[in-house]
Amino acid sequence: MRSPSLLRTGPALAALTAAFAMSQFFRSCLAVMAPELSADLGLDPAGFGALSSAFFLAFGLIQVPVGVAFDRWGVGRPTSVLMALGVAGGLMFSLSHGAAMATLGQVGLGMACAPVFMGLIHYASEQLEERRYLRSLSVSNGLGMLGVLCAASPLGWAVQHFGWRPAMLVATGVMAVVCFAVQRTVRDRGHADAHGQSSLAMLRGSLVLLKVPALWALVPVCLGMASGTAFRNAWGGPYVADVFGLDPISRGSAMTVISFVAFGCAFAMPLAARRFGAQAVIVGTMLGSVLAGLGLMLMPDVSLGLDLALLSLLAAAGTLHPVVMTAGRGTVAPALRGRALGVLNTFVFVGMAAASAGYGWLARYGMRLGRSPGTVYAGLFGLAVLALLMALAPFAWSAWRRRAATA
């Protein structure tokens, strides 16, 4: 029976929402401070791409073990332990004076943020009835996007006036407070059906999930979302700095525009999926992102206002995350949900790591050829469009086949 007291679930959901906001901040913060960070650490575009990809690679590779931990021990303990690790990673990153130490810090931060959104979905789905679950997820997803907003104009102002290191030290301190809140309020105990299984058996069970056709239909979308999200999380700041010459405060304002669009989409996506169906929302959003990417590829340096609007639409593909996770959650038995979310999240964040690193390599190649910044970024946008189309085609085909089979 899933009707726990609001006095118990309310503080836990609030703590997990705050943790999600911190996760969103750390995912997005490099975009605003990229030029200053790169200059301080001596990074070229490929080096910056590798640094930003370290966060997402660590984030993605531990998703399945995190899913196992959720099924076995619940959300609270694994999340608080990994967030404590992230506090150490944040300190290491803030105090780093070279690429190696900064990369290790990003790995720690990626591991800390890895369980948060999946934990929020898992905890809410286990503790709340369906109607409250959807409403709570929509609100938490929207409020969590405040972390993205804080990583825009406020962070740009802080970087301009104090530097990126003090700004990141403050953010690390906030993470420590949120970690304590999660440890104190999220007291679930995992799923009873998973308690009798060994961790190795549960990991093998996660691999068996790859045989579920309904999950494979979502894998291309998980990978494709990254091509747009990488511009909000890492490459949007370098783009407006290199092409339009924006300083940290102006970059922060530009990223705020993108973040507000993401904020609105985060609220709207779960509700739209409930009204029109997940398949329609996924296909429609990805088509919109493809068109925006084509516009940026053809007009990368025409107008800051126009290109920011198009960049916001391109990055909107990333806000499909809760829709995809909820669709995946519904394809497996309750005792496997944590692991199913882990499998899907692995593809999401490994895709982000690949996109961020790939954009860096392509940008370095273009600059070595002497191409203008506009031409270099046109190539990046073209690569994003290609990735989105490669994700959309198999998903749309699978959806059409399922609809034809049930007609």
Side-chain angles (χ1 to χ4, degrees), residues 149-164:
L149 295 177
C150 290
S153 288
L155 180 59
W157 179 86
V159 170
Q160 178 84 355
H161 291 284
F162 304 106
W164 65 271

PDB file of all heavy atoms in Angstrom, residues 149-164:
ATOM      1  N   LEU A 149      19.412  27.588 -13.572  1.00  0.00           N
ATOM      2  CA  LEU A 149      19.349  29.050 -13.550  1.00  0.00           C
ATOM      3  C   LEU A 149      20.479  29.632 -12.707  1.00  0.00           C
ATOM      4  O   LEU A 149      21.073  30.646 -13.071  1.00  0.00           O
ATOM      5  CB  LEU A 149      17.991  29.503 -13.005  1.00  0.00           C
ATOM      6  CG  LEU A 149      16.768  29.148 -13.857  1.00  0.00           C
ATOM      7  CD1 LEU A 149      15.481  29.585 -13.156  1.00  0.00           C
ATOM      8  CD2 LEU A 149      16.860  29.803 -15.229  1.00  0.00           C
ATOM      9  N   CYS A 150      20.794  28.997 -11.587  1.00  0.00           N
ATOM     10  CA  CYS A 150      21.893  29.475 -10.750  1.00  0.00           C
ATOM     11  C   CYS A 150      23.239  29.329 -11.454  1.00  0.00           C
ATOM     12  O   CYS A 150      24.182  30.089 -11.179  1.00  0.00           O
ATOM     13  CB  CYS A 150      21.916  28.718  -9.429  1.00  0.00           C
ATOM     14  SG  CYS A 150      20.546  29.121  -8.331  1.00  0.00           S
ATOM     15  N   ALA A 151      23.342  28.361 -12.364  1.00  0.00           N
ATOM     16  CA  ALA A 151      24.574  28.164 -13.123  1.00  0.00           C
ATOM     17  C   ALA A 151      24.661  29.091 -14.318  1.00  0.00           C
ATOM     18  O   ALA A 151      25.594  28.963 -15.132  1.00  0.00           O
ATOM     19  CB  ALA A 151      24.672  26.717 -13.589  1.00  0.00           C
ATOM     20  N   ALA A 152      23.726  30.031 -14.449  1.00  0.00           N
ATOM     21  CA  ALA A 152      23.728  30.973 -15.569  1.00  0.00           C
ATOM     22  C   ALA A 152      24.139  32.366 -15.082  1.00  0.00           C
ATOM     23  O   ALA A 152      25.301  32.582 -14.739  1.00  0.00           O
ATOM     24  CB  ALA A 152      22.346  30.971 -16.229  1.00  0.00           C
ATOM     25  N   SER A 153      23.208  33.314 -15.008  1.00  0.00           N
ATOM     26  CA  SER A 153      23.565  34.691 -14.636  1.00  0.00           C
ATOM     27  C   SER A 153      24.241  34.813 -13.273  1.00  0.00           C
ATOM     28  O   SER A 153      25.259  35.506 -13.142  1.00  0.00           O
ATOM     29  CB  SER A 153      22.322  35.582 -14.688  1.00  0.00           C
ATOM     30  OG  SER A 153      21.941  35.815 -16.020  1.00  0.00           O
ATOM     31  N   PRO A 154      23.704  34.182 -12.198  1.00  0.00           N
ATOM     32  CA  PRO A 154      24.397  34.311 -10.909  1.00  0.00           C
ATOM     33  C   PRO A 154      25.835  33.810 -10.952  1.00  0.00           C
ATOM     34  O   PRO A 154      26.741  34.442 -10.384  1.00  0.00           O
ATOM     35  CB  PRO A 154      23.534  33.460  -9.964  1.00  0.00           C
ATOM     36  CG  PRO A 154      22.179  33.462 -10.593  1.00  0.00           C
ATOM     37  CD  PRO A 154      22.443  33.443 -12.073  1.00  0.00           C
ATOM     38  N   LEU A 155      26.058  32.687 -11.615  1.00  0.00           N
ATOM     39  CA  LEU A 155      27.418  32.167 -11.705  1.00  0.00           C
ATOM     40  C   LEU A 155      28.293  33.080 -12.562  1.00  0.00           C
ATOM     41  O   LEU A 155      29.464  33.325 -12.235  1.00  0.00           O
ATOM     42  CB  LEU A 155      27.408  30.752 -12.275  1.00  0.00           C
ATOM     43  CG  LEU A 155      28.774  30.087 -12.425  1.00  0.00           C
ATOM     44  CD1 LEU A 155      29.487  29.983 -11.083  1.00  0.00           C
ATOM     45  CD2 LEU A 155      28.646  28.701 -13.068  1.00  0.00           C
ATOM     46  N   GLY A 156      27.752  33.596 -13.663  1.00  0.00           N
ATOM     47  CA  GLY A 156      28.515  34.517 -14.501  1.00  0.00           C
ATOM     48  C   GLY A 156      28.947  35.753 -13.725  1.00  0.00           C
ATOM     49  O   GLY A 156      30.097  36.211 -13.843  1.00  0.00           O
ATOM     50  N   TRP A 157      28.033  36.290 -12.899  1.00  0.00           N
ATOM     51  CA  TRP A 157      28.371  37.453 -12.066  1.00  0.00           C
ATOM     52  C   TRP A 157      29.474  37.089 -11.072  1.00  0.00           C
ATOM     53  O   TRP A 157      30.429  37.841 -10.868  1.00  0.00           O
ATOM     54  CB  TRP A 157      27.115  37.915 -11.334  1.00  0.00           C
ATOM     55  CG  TRP A 157      27.350  39.096 -10.431  1.00  0.00           C
ATOM     56  CD1 TRP A 157      27.322  40.417 -10.757  1.00  0.00           C
ATOM     57  CD2 TRP A 157      27.663  39.027  -9.019  1.00  0.00           C
ATOM     58  NE1 TRP A 157      27.593  41.190  -9.657  1.00  0.00           N
ATOM     59  CE2 TRP A 157      27.812  40.368  -8.576  1.00  0.00           C
ATOM     60  CE3 TRP A 157      27.831  37.988  -8.119  1.00  0.00           C
ATOM     61  CZ2 TRP A 157      28.108  40.678  -7.254  1.00  0.00           C
ATOM     62  CZ3 TRP A 157      28.135  38.288  -6.801  1.00  0.00           C
ATOM     63  CH2 TRP A 157      28.277  39.616  -6.378  1.00  0.00           C
ATOM     64  N   ALA A 158      29.356  35.923 -10.437  1.00  0.00           N
ATOM     65  CA  ALA A 158      30.353  35.503  -9.455  1.00  0.00           C
ATOM     66  C   ALA A 158      31.719  35.281 -10.105  1.00  0.00           C
ATOM     67  O   ALA A 158      32.756  35.663  -9.549  1.00  0.00           O
ATOM     68  CB  ALA A 158      29.888  34.222  -8.752  1.00  0.00           C
ATOM     69  N   VAL A 159      31.738  34.683 -11.286  1.00  0.00           N
ATOM     70  CA  VAL A 159      33.002  34.449 -11.982  1.00  0.00           C
ATOM     71  C   VAL A 159      33.650  35.773 -12.367  1.00  0.00           C
ATOM     72  O   VAL A 159      34.872  35.957 -12.247  1.00  0.00           O
ATOM     73  CB  VAL A 159      32.773  33.558 -13.220  1.00  0.00           C
ATOM     74  CG1 VAL A 159      34.019  33.503 -14.097  1.00  0.00           C
ATOM     75  CG2 VAL A 159      32.375  32.157 -12.798  1.00  0.00           C
ATOM     76  N   GLN A 160      32.828  36.728 -12.819  1.00  0.00           N
ATOM     77  CA  GLN A 160      33.354  38.034 -13.223  1.00  0.00           C
ATOM     78  C   GLN A 160      33.979  38.776 -12.043  1.00  0.00           C
ATOM     79  O   GLN A 160      35.027  39.402 -12.173  1.00  0.00           O
ATOM     80  CB  GLN A 160      32.226  38.878 -13.824  1.00  0.00           C
ATOM     81  CG  GLN A 160      32.630  40.277 -14.236  1.00  0.00           C
ATOM     82  CD  GLN A 160      33.254  40.332 -15.609  1.00  0.00           C
ATOM     83  OE1 GLN A 160      33.478  39.302 -16.242  1.00  0.00           O
ATOM     84  NE2 GLN A 160      33.556  41.533 -16.068  1.00  0.00           N
ATOM     85  N   HIS A 161      33.339  38.696 -10.863  1.00  0.00           N
ATOM     86  CA  HIS A 161      33.776  39.514  -9.725  1.00  0.00           C
ATOM     87  C   HIS A 161      34.716  38.783  -8.773  1.00  0.00           C
ATOM     88  O   HIS A 161      35.540  39.428  -8.116  1.00  0.00           O
ATOM     89  CB  HIS A 161      32.550  40.009  -8.954  1.00  0.00           C
ATOM     90  CG  HIS A 161      31.743  41.023  -9.707  1.00  0.00           C
ATOM     91  ND1 HIS A 161      32.123  42.339  -9.852  1.00  0.00           N
ATOM     92  CD2 HIS A 161      30.570  40.902 -10.383  1.00  0.00           C
ATOM     93  CE1 HIS A 161      31.226  42.989 -10.568  1.00  0.00           C
ATOM     94  NE2 HIS A 161      30.274  42.147 -10.909  1.00  0.00           N
ATOM     95  N   PHE A 162      34.599  37.464  -8.668  1.00  0.00           N
ATOM     96  CA  PHE A 162      35.390  36.735  -7.682  1.00  0.00           C
ATOM     97  C   PHE A 162      36.261  35.628  -8.277  1.00  0.00           C
ATOM     98  O   PHE A 162      37.181  35.142  -7.613  1.00  0.00           O
ATOM     99  CB  PHE A 162      34.470  36.119  -6.614  1.00  0.00           C
ATOM    100  CG  PHE A 162      33.581  37.112  -5.931  1.00  0.00           C
ATOM    101  CD1 PHE A 162      32.227  37.157  -6.220  1.00  0.00           C
ATOM    102  CD2 PHE A 162      34.098  38.022  -5.020  1.00  0.00           C
ATOM    103  CE1 PHE A 162      31.400  38.080  -5.597  1.00  0.00           C
ATOM    104  CE2 PHE A 162      33.282  38.938  -4.395  1.00  0.00           C
ATOM    105  CZ  PHE A 162      31.927  38.982  -4.683  1.00  0.00           C
ATOM    106  N   GLY A 163      35.958  35.190  -9.485  1.00  0.00           N
ATOM    107  CA  GLY A 163      36.674  34.079 -10.092  1.00  0.00           C
ATOM    108  C   GLY A 163      35.900  32.785  -9.954  1.00  0.00           C
ATOM    109  O   GLY A 163      34.993  32.664  -9.136  1.00  0.00           O
ATOM    110  N   TRP A 164      36.293  31.795 -10.757  1.00  0.00           N
ATOM    111  CA  TRP A 164      35.518  30.558 -10.779  1.00  0.00           C
ATOM    112  C   TRP A 164      35.788  29.685  -9.555  1.00  0.00           C
ATOM    113  O   TRP A 164      34.913  28.933  -9.121  1.00  0.00           O
ATOM    114  CB  TRP A 164      35.786  29.780 -12.057  1.00  0.00           C
ATOM    115  CG  TRP A 164      37.178  29.258 -12.236  1.00  0.00           C
ATOM    116  CD1 TRP A 164      38.236  29.893 -12.820  1.00  0.00           C
ATOM    117  CD2 TRP A 164      37.672  27.966 -11.825  1.00  0.00           C
ATOM    118  NE1 TRP A 164      39.351  29.093 -12.812  1.00  0.00           N
ATOM    119  CE2 TRP A 164      39.040  27.901 -12.214  1.00  0.00           C
ATOM    120  CE3 TRP A 164      37.099  26.866 -11.216  1.00  0.00           C
ATOM    121  CZ2 TRP A 164      39.831  26.783 -11.974  1.00  0.00           C
ATOM    122  CZ3 TRP A 164      37.885  25.742 -10.975  1.00  0.00           C
ATOM    123  CH2 TRP A 164      39.226  25.700 -11.345  1.00  0.00           C
TER     124      TRP A 164
END
